[in-house]
Structures are given as structure tokens and as C-alpha cells.
Amino acid sequence: MREAAKKHNIILNIQSAQQDMSEQQAQIENFITERVDAMVVCPVDSDTVAGAIKRANQAKIPVFTADIAANGGDVVCHIASDNVKGGELAGEYMAKLLGGKGQIIIIDHPAVVSVQDRTKGFVKSISKYPGIKIIARPPGEGQRTTAMDVMENMLQAHPDIKGVFAINDSTALGALAALRQAKRNDIVIVGYDGDPEARREILAGTQLKADAVQYPRKIGATTIEIVAKYLNGEKVPKKVPIEVGIIDKASLEAGK
């Protein structure tokens, strides 16, 4: 975003709510008070953020969303990974790992639209394999410590689990920690994001076997390009999907 903003002479004020919805609402209110020319929001909660976006709408400030969509309010354009496709890729990889059979869980985070899209794609792919059963979808809040607790509980409740789809890498790494602690080397994880720590675990041959990956630099640059076009009076689409991919040990070793 910063690199693209320099090119377009856009002044950025980047703030993080640190996963605190009340903090994000306060930040949006401050931006409204400052009369910014445009606002990019990455919602902490897709539903709750709608009220703040509507207040920005009333103030005639154009709002864009990046990475995570908002369920409400008038958003000029949403720029994000094709999360449904990413979920599909993760599902196909999981099916290949399991040879088309086994019990699996999804450690979910349904409050976020992008996660809903990921799980939608994953379930779509898994549905092609009648030998694979999704037996639970506990929420892990997208947080490592919560996901670790969830995984520990799932091992107690469903000892025959063979696979875990983790909706982001914090979730995947939390689940991996629980599997290590329980010495359950027979369970595989497919994650989402391709963070550096997750890449190292995949390369090391741990139970985290693969990640659907996003391209955040492209999301950021494209977001600024869309904002610049809109401020220059050009028409922009309501949604701009960004490509996704999948990485595993072989692809990382090949430098991909």
C-alpha cells in the first residue's frame, strides 16, 4: 500500500485495531472527524463493522474493504483473495493426503466473511470424496492459543481424526502445537496464508503439510490503485478478486 501510495501521491494513515472491534469503530469515527478523502477498512468483525461504515457513508466518505469483507454499509469496492478458490485448493490437497478417506475437522472462525468463503470452498472440494467426513467445525477465533485448546479438546472428543483444515496460520500453528504435545503424528493439517513460520514448519516436514496462500503485497497495491482510480473519477468494479495458490514441501524446496 505504501509503495503504491507514493506513486499516486496519496497520504496514508495506517492504523491497526489489534482485533478489537471497539477500537476499530473508534478509529473509523476519528477518520470521519478528520474528513479523510477515502477509507480502507479490514474489518475485525464483518457484521459489527457495518454500523461504522454506514456512518462514513452518511459523511460522504467513500469506503473500500481489503482482505475481509463487510456485511453491511455501502462499500465502493472489495479487494481480496479469491478465498473460495483457496479453500477448494486446500480441500483437494487434504483429500490427496488422506487418500480420499478419513474423519476431519475444520477449526473455524465464522465471524469473518473471508473465512466463510474459505470453508465454503473447502467443503465443496471435500464433498467430492464420500470417504471423507467433516465431523466437527469448532470455532478457534483465528488465534493460536484458542486453536491449541480447541485441538486438545477435539483429540479427546474425536480420537480418530485424521485431518485438520485450519482457516489461517495462527490456527494451524496452534493445532500443530497441540498435536506435538499429544504426540499425534498420524494427523495432517492444511492451513491458509503462507506465513513465514508456517512455511518453515511445512519445509521441516511436520504435520502441517500445505497452505493455501494469498498474495498480500498484491492485495495492498491493488487496493491503492482502485482508490486512486475512484478519486480520479474513474469507474471501479464492486469486487476485485486476487489470485491464490497452494504451497507444500516440494514447492517450497523448489523455491516457489
Side-chain angles (χ1 to χ4, degrees):
M1 291 180 80
R2 291 190 178 102
E3 290 169 2
K6 281 182 184 177
K7 189 169 73 172
H8 292 284
N9 294 316
I10 289 174
I11 299 169
L12 284 182
N13 178 356
I14 299 177
Q15 297 186 15
S16 172
Q18 300 294 333
Q19 298 297 319
D20 184 334
M21 191 62 240
S22 61
E23 178 68 17
Q24 185 164 69
Q25 288 170 321
Q27 289 169 349
I28 292 172
E29 294 290 351
N30 288 339
F31 288 144
I32 293 170
T33 302
E34 292 168 16
R35 300 296 307 168
V36 296
D37 295 305
M39 198 183 302
V40 177
V41 180
C42 304
V44 171
D45 185 293
S46 297
D47 291 326
T48 310
V49 79
I53 290 176
K54 288 175 183 176
R55 288 190 287 280
N57 297 153
Q58 292 165 359
K60 308 297 184 188
I61 297 172
V63 177
F64 303 76
T65 51
D67 188 37
I68 297 170
N71 285 332
D74 182 15
V75 173
V76 175
C77 179
H78 176 56
I79 304 94
S81 299
D82 185 344
N83 281 293
V84 174
K85 181 63 176 177
E88 289 177 5
L89 293 174
E92 288 296 336
Y93 201 95
M94 177 67 76
K96 182 173 75 171
L97 285 171
L98 297 180
K101 59 183 180 180
Q103 295 183 359
I104 63 174
I105 64 167
I106 298 171
I107 302 184
D108 211 340
H109 185 26
V112 173
V113 168
S114 59
V115 172
Q116 293 173 12
D117 287 343
R118 293 171 193 181
T119 56
K120 178 181 177 182
F122 183 83
V123 171
K124 180 181 176 183
S125 285
I126 292 300
S127 67
K128 301 174 189 173
Y129 300 91
I132 301 178
K133 304 296 181 187
I134 300 171
I135 57 172
R137 296 180 59 162
E141 300 175 1
Q143 303 293 326
R144 187 184 300 214
T145 53
T146 307
M148 185 175 178
D149 291 341
V150 166
M151 190 72 246
E152 288 171 352
N153 291 335
M154 287 292 102
L155 290 175
Q156 294 295 322
H158 306 285
D160 294 330
I161 293 169
K162 293 301 178 188
V164 179
F165 175 48
I167 53 82
N168 66 5
D169 277 336
S170 292
T171 302
L173 293 166
L176 180 61
L179 294 184
R180 280 180 171 148
Q181 191 169 292
K183 295 183 170 54
R184 289 296 301 269
N185 299 322
D186 58 322
I187 298 173
V188 294
I189 304 169
V190 176
Y192 204 110
D193 280 337
D195 291 349
E197 186 179 355
R199 287 171 179 258
R200 290 193 293 271
E201 296 289 1
I202 293 169
L203 264 172
T206 68
Q207 293 102 306
L208 179 54
K209 299 300 182 184
D211 255 8
V213 290
Q214 307 186 78
Y215 300 98
R217 290 182 64 86
K218 188 168 184 181
I219 294 172
T222 302
T223 298
I224 295 298
E225 296 288 345
I226 292 293
V227 171
K229 284 182 178 180
Y230 181 83
L231 293 178
N232 287 331
E234 298 180 43
K235 284 190 173 182
V236 298
K238 289 293 288 182
K239 188 172 183 179
V240 177
I242 305 296
E243 66 190 34
V244 293
I246 194 130
I247 54 170
D248 59 8
K249 190 171 188 286
S251 68
L252 289 173
E253 287 175 340
K256 295 181 181 177

